[in-house]
Amino acid sequence: MKNHLLKFILFALVLIGSCSKDENNNDTPTVSNTYSITLAGQINDENGQGIPNVTVQVGNKIDQTDGNGIYLIEKANVNKSRAVVKATKAGYWNRSSGFIPSNSTVQYCNLVMPQKAAASSIQSSVGGSVTSAGATVVFPVNAFVTSTGMTYNGTVNITSKHLPTSDPNFGALIPGGDLMAEDNASNSVKLISYGMIGVELTDNSGNPLQLGPGINATVQLPIASVQLSSAPTTIPLWYFDETKSLWIEEGLATKQGNNYVGQVGHFSWWNYDMSIPPATIEGYVFDCEGNPVQNAKIFSDNSGLLYTNQNGFYSGQIISGSSSTVKALIGGIFTNTLIIPTLAPGQIYSVPNLTFNCAGFGKLIVNFVDCNNNSINPTVLIATSVGNVLLVPQNGEVSALIPCGQNIFSALQGSAIYSSVYTQLCNPDSNDLGTIILCDTTNTQGLSFSFDLTSPSTNITYNNPQYFSGEYYSSSNQMHISALTSSPGQSLDGYIEGFSTYLPGTYTQQNFPYSILNLEYTTTSYHYFIYADTITPNLTYTILKNGAVGDTMEVMISGNIFIEQTASSTIEYGVLNSLYIKCIRTQ
């Protein structure tokens, strides 16, 4: 490959902005520092599969991804200078991405969430080391404390992930997305990474641990072979602050052979980086007919964290002082490639238009309305043989380039889903699917749950009861539920109390100091009373919807429980994997 070193450096660093921004911001000037935005995207695993039930937060709004990993958040209040989308799900590393917001159109931000590998274990009294894909972390003896600062003795479970710059998904997996950072002088800077590692420490009950005051662990990261010649003798260390979604400078690492070695005094993600002043690129992506292309991925040398908005516009930061290339991708097909000249720090460069050749594409035309024939804008996903296309209609209308061939078309609006298989004709022919009616049956109630017992090991799952009734009383913070399945004679009754707030979002049991979980589950063989575990309280409540009176309340609950089995008069501990309830709000 020509200029391999330069391309590799750009692969790790360029386009360190993320998501999409609207150049023609038509917002009325205001003294407020916030925008109200609409953000859509898809969250995939490292194999490109959509991840369902991911909690996604943007500003003051929260959503859950659907079965395809898609989210759509409207009217989220975010900071004008930098907004952040955060994604969380048990068993996966948290993901976040910063972007420059605008409230005049739909923006996109697609994320990749890596799944956590099995934890390694050491004894605190002995210390030890763990290795992740060539990276090593060494812990001294008696190094750990609990979240309250008490000395911890026992088993330490260590989950880690080494993210080298040679990883093909490096740009899509960076915590924070845009590599925004704060140096020792409190300056806002951009980073050039030489690799990073994430580490989480817990006890056997899943409670977080940390290194004690004044105690350091040694972190050794291999330097990618194409970066060895440019790697400085010493390099700053940066940790990722989950609250700020920023990298914070703290300490130095030294080059020892083919590795960087540094000392760290706490754990989250650690990054070995040089800071550099950024420049800015901005531009548009069009199809061969001159129409803007939304949610096209903008990247350079196989790395990109920028996406065009609904108007086909993108804007983001790249490293100054070095030339690069830029191109766009949608549905597995690329535009032309353009050269970005060497830019000075702070320079804003307008990129000539990127244009898709219509070869390999066809035009898809479709309109969406609700039950009352009003235009609606559902999330639309077209799965093609070369990649997925996700978009949001404008005024209910879709007119977009789609890779030709047999495709799977799906649209989601609330609880209404439309799905079909169709053959996309190639240019110059087009497909007109006409008008699709999507009716959101918001008053349909539902219930499902599953829990595990630890001794004896038992898994119980309860889905789609033949009869279900649920009511939510906001005046008393109570949710009453009753369900029945005739075969095999299952029933569930109970109540949940303590919702001190009704805003959609995810809350811990500690947010609800007077919360009560009281369920009675019966089968032909068993009779269980289920309660929240008071010894290790960690229930999580995710409020998905808080409809008005007569509409529905939707909530998911998970965490530690204890179960009283009346048949054997025993008390067992277990985990509530999920309790999903959608019931009527009566007051």
Side-chain angles (χ1 to χ4, degrees):
M1 180 184 294
K2 296 181 180 179
N3 299 320
H4 183 65
L5 175 58
L6 175 59
K7 288 189 175 183
F8 182 85
I9 292 174
L10 291 174
F11 156 77
L13 310 169
V14 301
L15 295 182
I16 326 182
S18 67
C19 307
S20 62
K21 176 181 181 289
D22 186 9
E23 180 187 48
N24 299 315
N25 191 335
N26 297 318
D27 303 310
T28 302
T30 173
V31 296
S32 172
N33 290 323
T34 64
Y35 279 148
S36 177
I37 71 168
T38 296
L39 190 71
Q42 185 175 31
I43 298 180
N44 295 320
D45 61 22
E46 291 181 273
N47 296 315
Q49 299 299 310
I51 307 175
N53 302 321
V54 176
T55 299
V56 184
Q57 180 173 1
V58 181
N60 64 329
K61 291 296 183 72
I62 291 179
D63 191 23
Q64 293 272 325
T65 57
D66 65 17
N68 293 316
I70 296 171
Y71 70 91
L72 175 64
I73 296 180
E74 299 178 287
K75 298 180 180 179
N77 293 326
V78 299
N79 189 288
K80 284 183 178 180
S81 60
R82 182 177 184 255
V84 177
V85 56
K86 298 181 179 181
T88 58
K89 182 178 181 176
Y92 291 82
W93 289 93
N94 294 347
R95 282 286 288 116
S96 63
S97 189
F99 60 98
I100 304 170
S102 169
N103 63 350
S104 58
T105 188
V106 175
Q107 297 175 255
Y108 292 90
C109 194
N110 306 303
L111 300 175
V112 177
M113 289 185 74
Q115 194 165 10
K116 291 180 180 178
S120 301
S121 298
I122 63 173
Q123 294 300 312
S124 60
S125 59
V126 177
S129 64
V130 295
T131 299
S132 172
T136 302
V137 183
V138 181
F139 299 92
V141 299
N142 300 319
F144 305 95
V145 296
T146 66
S147 58
T148 60
M150 300 295 293
T151 300
Y152 174 77
N153 294 310
T155 301
V156 180
N157 298 307
I158 305 164
T159 305
S160 61
K161 181 175 180 60
H162 175 213
L163 183 55
T165 57
S166 57
D167 190 313
N169 282 329
F170 180 79
L173 292 172
I174 297 170
D178 56 3
L179 277 176
M180 284 286 292
E182 186 178 289
D183 66 15
N184 285 333
S186 298
N187 297 314
S188 180
V189 295
K190 294 286 182 179
L191 301 180
I192 300 175
S193 181
Y194 282 76
M196 57 187 72
I197 187 170
V199 177
E200 291 184 356
L201 311 173
T202 60
D203 63 18
N204 279 339
S205 297
N207 299 310
L209 301 173
Q210 267 297 351
L211 297 176
I215 299 175
N216 290 328
T218 301
V219 178
Q220 177 178 295
L221 297 186
I223 304 170
S225 58
V226 297
Q227 288 184 297
L228 274 173
S229 61
S230 64
T233 303
T234 60
I235 192 168
L237 284 168
W238 311 74
Y239 72 89
F240 188 67
D241 187 314
E242 292 276 0
T243 302
K244 296 181 178 180
S245 292
L246 289 172
W247 293 94
I248 309 298
E249 184 178 5
E250 187 177 293
L252 286 171
T254 59
K255 185 179 180 183
Q256 299 180 17
N258 295 341
N259 302 290
Y260 273 126
V261 180
Q263 301 285 314
V264 302
H266 56 90
F267 278 103
S268 58
W269 279 85
W270 283 93
N271 200 352
Y272 290 32
D273 299 70
M274 299 299 295
S275 60
I276 191 168
T280 299
I281 61 171
E282 57 185 29
Y284 286 89
V285 178
F286 294 100
D287 65 20
C288 59
E289 297 176 353
N291 302 305
V293 178
Q294 59 178 306
N295 200 17
K297 183 179 181 180
I298 309 297
F299 71 106
S300 176
D301 298 323
N302 299 321
S303 176
L305 294 173
L306 292 174
Y307 297 89
T308 58
N309 65 16
Q310 208 170 41
N311 296 330
F313 179 77
Y314 65 92
S315 174
Q317 293 174 309
I318 66 172
I319 60 172
S320 61
S322 178
S323 64
S324 61
T325 61
V326 64
K327 58 185 174 181
L329 168 73
I330 190 168
I333 300 177
F334 295 98
T335 63
N336 54 315
T337 299
L338 298 176
I339 302 296
I340 305 298
T342 300
L343 304 179
Q347 181 179 350
I348 299 175
Y349 177 76
S350 294
V351 181
N353 293 340
L354 293 168
T355 304
F356 282 99
N357 187 308
C358 282
F361 288 104
K363 184 64 67 68
L364 176 67
I365 302 169
V366 61
N367 293 315
F368 292 96
V369 297
D370 62 14
C371 310
N372 299 315
N373 205 38
N374 299 313
S375 296
I376 56 174
N377 297 317
T379 55
V380 179
L381 180 69
I382 300 100
T384 80
S385 61
V386 293
N388 292 343
V389 177
L390 170 66
L391 51 87
V392 177
Q394 290 181 299
N395 301 317
E397 299 178 356
V398 170
S399 179
L401 283 183
I402 305 297
C404 46
Q406 190 174 71
N407 299 330
I408 301 174
F409 176 94
S410 62
L412 177 66
Q413 175 80 359
S415 63
I417 301 174
Y418 176 87
S419 181
S420 68
V421 177
Y422 81 104
T423 300
Q424 178 66 55
L425 302 176
C426 290
N427 185 66
D429 295 321
S430 62
N431 293 73
D432 190 340
L433 301 185
T435 298
I436 294 175
I437 302 174
L438 288 171
C439 289
D440 182 4
T441 55
T442 56
N443 288 331
T444 300
Q445 301 188 76
L447 169 80
S448 65
F449 77 88
S450 69
F451 65 89
D452 296 328
L453 304 180
T454 54
S455 179
S457 178
T458 305
N459 176 268
I460 294 176
T461 300
Y462 187 42
N463 292 312
N464 302 317
Q466 293 173 315
Y467 165 81
F468 172 68
S469 174
E471 292 182 303
Y472 175 70
Y473 309 98
S474 59
S475 60
S476 58
N477 295 332
Q478 289 186 347
M479 180 180 287
H480 288 220
I481 57 176
S482 180
L484 176 68
T485 302
S486 60
S487 176
Q490 296 170 294
S491 67
L492 179 74
D493 291 281
Y495 62 90
I496 303 159
E497 296 184 5
F499 292 105
S500 58
T501 179
Y502 318 122
L503 290 175
T506 298
Y507 308 92
T508 64
Q509 189 172 358
Q510 286 72 19
N511 294 122
F512 306 136
Y514 304 106
S515 64
I516 297 175
L517 176 69
N518 190 333
L519 302 176
E520 181 181 4
Y521 175 65
T522 304
T523 72
T524 54
S525 303
Y526 300 101
H527 192 174
Y528 297 103
F529 288 97
I530 303 169
Y531 310 96
D533 186 349
T534 56
I535 297 177
T536 313
N538 74 338
L539 284 184
T540 297
Y541 300 78
T542 298
I543 300 175
L544 302 174
K545 181 181 179 182
N546 61 326
V549 173
D551 203 344
T552 53
M553 179 76 176
E554 214 172 342
V555 63
M556 294 182 68
I557 305 173
S558 62
N560 293 341
I561 54 175
F562 76 89
I563 302 98
E564 180 181 353
Q565 187 177 159
T566 58
S568 59
S569 300
T570 59
I571 293 180
E572 304 172 15
Y573 290 88
V575 175
L576 180 65
N577 298 315
S578 66
L579 170 62
Y580 168 80
I581 304 168
K582 185 176 182 180
C583 65
I584 299 296
R585 182 170 181 173
T586 57
Q587 44 171 270

